[in-house]
Amino acid sequence: MGMGVSGSAGGGRRRRRGGRAASMHEINITPMVDVMLVLLIIFMVAAPMLTVGVPVKLPETAATALPTEQEEPLTVTITSDGRLSIQTTEVSDAEMIGKLTAIAAERTSKKIYLRADGSVAYERVAQVMGALNAGGFNEIAFVTDAATPSFGAGDASNSEGNGG
């Protein structure tokens, strides 16, 4: 005579005292991933807007980028019509050296970035470089757009006068 095993004898569901449900010991990371993706999209949209706000068409060169610095870089811009700006503030030629001297007295670095539109005459760029030097900045770096080296490659003006 066999003995029957009932389902409630030892294999039933256990309950805590007081009838409370067991707490979940899991972390739901879905909301955190959602927030991180939203922040990523915001930074991707905002990053191009963080450049200096004076629009110029920079010349393209094959030069490598300069290493980053601790101080915020100081930028002087020459627009296509020859107007000058320090960062985003437009200044006249007469007040340029005075403002640069005051700025140089407050900064530890004597490096300054010069952004000039590609259509600006070399004479104008040389005048501004002289003003930068007179204002106390002796490390002048040119800002250009990156491009492949094309100096002399396929240029019709270089092939003239070669005797052939």
Side-chain angles (χ1 to χ4, degrees), residues 152 154-162:
D155 190 5
S157 62
N158 275 347
S159 62
E160 293 179 11
N162 289 339

Side-chain angles (χ1 to χ4, degrees), residues 39-55 72-75 77 87-88 115 143:
L39 288 174
L40 177 68
I41 291 170
I42 289 172
F43 288 133
M44 286 173 56
V45 170
M49 296 178 201
L50 297 176
T51 58
V52 177
V54 180
E72 179 185 352
L74 182 63
T75 306
T77 305
Q87 296 296 76
T88 57
R115 298 173 69 228
V143 179

